[in-house]
């Protein structure tokens, strides 16, 4: 590890460190693999402003899930911002108008958008999020709180004749995150593209953009997962792009939160106490569950289910192997310990039965895969501890703003 980086970590742990080069590599890989597509960063995965700014400078836009994320993306110079979320309050719609592309998530929301546009005496371009009749795996689509069911499109076409202030301009679909099967993801993209043609035909609308949503998966644990085959995926996306050029001429958009940011992040913790209770050794750290919540959720699910496989519950729970733990110590002796946080609840667990170099007070522990749905997805205010800091660093270990 570079000296500057080591100093930064020793001085600030518990802290998150995001590696700029890893971030840039992930963005370059996507942009190189899908040259006909534009990318949107799902800001909810990591809203740390230097990260959002860095992605903006790479030409990546925003998939914003709240008015706050729209404003954050704008303040970080992101150009293409798409605001899609279930249950947007009127205030959020009013404040976001003219600041981004608005995506309507339901009939009711579209009606409210029409009313707001009528009050302002303007025509509002809106995309629609559709809950497709197909699932990611190719089976039938299920019920969802997101989007307008595909079967309701003919009814929407009728309502749009009343809602003169609305001009439908594009389509947004997102059904499932974390896919590592290129054929499944490719077939899903193809299904979304066919859906866009049906939407255009049914609504008689423009199709300025097709947002295929997220789904590009990350290898959390190389011993259990294999990475997505981008060459295979590209055969699907290239075929779509070729047809699109001849027919719809839409802007093709793919969203990513975790693929862009997961691997760039490491969470560094410091041991503050070591103790033993009836044969079990505990290493106690600061900002365990209140610095990184997901390992505690995994431990809680395991305790509740006792045996069997745990289904992912994205983004709250990915898998029991989503994080890697490394003790930064050159101790020769190894031991098995429970690494836990210092909150007054027993569920504050980082990792149980961890075997590694003997940990002493002051030693650092690194948690990998901490760049997406990590810091931001953590209840940090519980028990009034200070929150961990975040840093984006370049290859020299210099902090970037
Ligand atoms: C969260 C989200 C994503 C990002 O998913 P990742 O698995 O992080 O890539 C994309 N689109 C929508 C609509 C989302 O809600």
């Amino acid at each position: 590890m570079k000296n500057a980086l080591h100093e930064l970590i020793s001085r600030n742990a518990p802290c998150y460190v995001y590696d700029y080069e890893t971030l840039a590599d992930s963005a370059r890989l996507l942009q190189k693999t899908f040259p006909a597509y534009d990318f949107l960063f799902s800001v909810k995965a990591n809203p740390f402003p230097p990260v959002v700014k860095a992605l903006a400078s790479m030409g990546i836009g925003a998939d914003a899930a709240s008015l706050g994320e729209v404003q954050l993306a704008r303040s970080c110079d992101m150009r293409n911002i798409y605001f899609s979320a279930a249950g947007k309050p009127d205030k959020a719609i009013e404040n976001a108008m003219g600041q981004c592309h608005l995506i309507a998530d339901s009939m009711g929301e579209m009606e409210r958008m029409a009313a707001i546009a009528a009050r302002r005496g303007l025509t509002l371009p809106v995309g629609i999020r559709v809950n497709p009749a197909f699932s990611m795996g190719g089976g039938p689509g299920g019920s969802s709180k997101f989007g307008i069911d595909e079967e309701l499109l003919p009814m929407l076409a009728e309502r749009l004749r009343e809602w003169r202030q609305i001009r439908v301009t594009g389509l947004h679909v997102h059904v499932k995150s974390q896919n590592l099967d290129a054929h499944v993801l490719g077939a899903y993209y193809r299904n979304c593209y066919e859906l866009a043609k049906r939407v255009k035909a049914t609504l008689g609308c423009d199709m300025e953009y097709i947002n295929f949503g997220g789904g590009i998966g990350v290898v959390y644990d190389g011993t259990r997962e294999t990475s997505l085959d981008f060459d295979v995926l590209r055969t699907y996306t290239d075929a779509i792009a070729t047809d699109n050029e001849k027919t719809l001429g839409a802007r093709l958009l793919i969203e990513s939160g975790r693929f862009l940011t997961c691997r760039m992040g490491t969470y560094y913790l410091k041991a503050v106490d070591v103790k033993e209770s009836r044969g079990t050794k505990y290493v106690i750290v600061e900002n365990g569950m209140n610095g990184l919540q997901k390992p505690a959720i995994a431990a809680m699910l395991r305790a509740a289910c006792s045996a069997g496989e745990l289904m992912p519950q994205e983004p709250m729970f990915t898998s029991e192997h989503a994080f890697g733990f490394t003790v930064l110590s050159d101790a020769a002796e190894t031991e098995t310990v429970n690494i836990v946080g210092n909150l007054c609840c027993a569920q504050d667990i980082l990792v149980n039965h961890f075997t590694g170099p003997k940990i002493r007070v002051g030693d650092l522990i690194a948690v990998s895969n901490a760049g997406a749905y990590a810091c931001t997805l953590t209840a940090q205010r519980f028990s009034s501890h200070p929150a961990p800091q975040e840093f984006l660093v370049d290859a020299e270990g210099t902090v970037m703003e």
Side-chain angles (χ1 to χ4, degrees):
M1 195 188 288
K2 287 248 158 46
N3 265 345
L5 185 57
H6 193 265
E7 228 167 81
L8 178 82
I9 295 160
S10 310
R11 211 174 33 243
N12 293 288
C15 64
Y16 281 85
V17 175
Y18 306 129
D19 179 57
Y20 175 86
E21 286 305 322
T22 309
L23 176 68
D25 279 348
S26 304
R28 272 194 294 262
L29 175 62
L30 292 183
Q31 290 171 327
K32 208 179 79 197
T33 310
F34 311 101
Y37 293 69
D38 287 322
F39 284 86
L40 303 178
F41 174 51
S42 299
V43 179
K44 72 178 190 290
N46 190 328
F48 186 48
V51 168
V52 181
K53 277 183 211 160
L55 288 165
S57 75
M58 298 170 202
I60 291 174
D63 157 32
S66 67
L67 174 65
E69 288 185 356
V70 170
Q71 290 164 339
L72 170 65
R74 283 179 66 85
S75 73
C76 292
D77 294 326
M78 276 195 162
R79 293 233 164 69
N80 299 297
I81 303 171
Y82 292 75
F83 178 16
S84 185
K88 293 187 263 318
D90 281 1
K91 264 245 149 58
I93 294 168
E94 284 165 9
N95 285 308
M97 276 166 69
Q99 315 280 313
C100 61
H101 297 276
L102 272 174
I103 315 280
D105 197 83
S106 71
M107 293 276 191
E109 201 171 88
M110 199 168 264
E111 185 165 18
R112 286 190 288 123
M113 285 178 178
I116 292 167
R119 278 206 298 279
R120 300 228 181 147
L122 47 79
T123 305
L124 189 63
V126 293
I128 53 167
R129 178 154 176 184
V130 172
N131 176 33
F134 52 86
S135 69
M136 176 65 78
S143 172
S144 173
K145 81 167 184 182
F146 300 106
I148 296 170
D149 290 346
E150 182 179 342
E151 315 74 270
L152 299 180
L153 288 173
M155 198 217 281
L156 176 62
E158 255 168 59
R159 303 297 307 271
L160 281 168
R161 278 190 272 278
E162 299 159 37
W163 301 332
R164 288 279 162 201
Q165 301 78 10
I166 297 283
R167 186 170 72 83
V168 174
T169 51
L171 170 68
H172 180 207
V173 185
H174 171 76
V175 296
K176 192 172 172 287
S177 281
Q178 185 54 12
N179 289 280
L180 291 171
D181 185 323
H183 288 292
V184 167
L185 193 54
Y188 160 79
Y189 286 160
R190 198 170 55 202
N191 287 336
C192 289
Y193 181 66
E194 293 306 320
L195 171 61
K197 290 184 167 176
R198 293 196 294 278
V199 168
K200 184 177 162 76
T202 308
L203 302 186
C205 64
D206 295 329
M207 191 51 67
E208 293 170 9
Y209 57 88
I210 305 168
N211 182 345
F212 296 85
I216 296 177
V218 160
V219 171
Y220 285 91
D221 177 351
T223 68
R224 289 162 209 270
E225 300 148 321
T226 43
S227 60
L228 195 56
D229 189 330
F230 283 102
D231 292 333
V232 168
L233 188 54
R234 193 172 170 169
T235 60
Y236 291 89
T237 50
D238 281 355
I240 291 167
T242 305
D243 188 83
N244 177 60
E245 214 169 284
K246 287 184 289 203
T247 56
L248 293 178
R251 180 170 194 207
L252 305 175
L253 302 164
I254 292 177
E255 299 169 334
S256 172
R258 76 187 64 211
F259 188 83
L260 285 168
T261 56
C262 177
R263 283 160 308 174
M264 71 164 183
T266 309
Y267 182 41
Y268 292 95
L269 296 136
K270 209 177 248 179
V272 288
D273 198 12
V274 177
K275 63 197 278 189
E276 194 165 328
S277 163
R278 300 193 175 128
T280 299
K281 202 147 191 193
Y282 294 88
V283 171
I284 302 186
V285 296
E286 242 183 307
N287 287 103
M289 185 175 90
N290 55 331
L292 175 63
Q293 189 164 314
K294 287 182 75 177
I297 293 174
M300 195 172 74
L301 285 177
R302 175 49 69 206
C305 299
S306 66
E309 195 171 341
L310 299 173
M311 294 292 290
Q313 311 288 326
E314 293 289 359
M316 303 299 288
F317 169 69
T318 301
S319 93
E320 290 176 276
H321 315 286
F323 300 99
F325 302 91
T326 311
V327 175
L328 305 187
S329 144
D330 45 19
E333 203 183 327
T334 66
E335 60 181 6
T336 298
V337 297
N338 290 350
I339 306 178
V340 300
N342 63 357
L343 294 180
C344 52
C345 59
Q347 290 77 20
D348 184 7
I349 295 164
L350 198 68
V351 55
N352 278 338
H353 318 300
F354 173 82
T355 303
K358 186 181 165 89
I359 302 170
R360 283 154 307 196
V361 169
D363 281 347
L364 291 167
I365 297 151
V367 186
S368 65
N369 294 330
Y373 308 110
C375 189
T376 185
L377 198 65
T378 294
Q380 295 180 352
R381 292 167 71 173
F382 179 57
S383 219
S384 305
H385 287 270
Q389 287 195 74
E390 297 171 277
F391 302 98
L392 177 66
V393 298
D394 67 12
E396 303 306 316
T398 307
V399 174
M400 300 169 71
E401 306 264 295

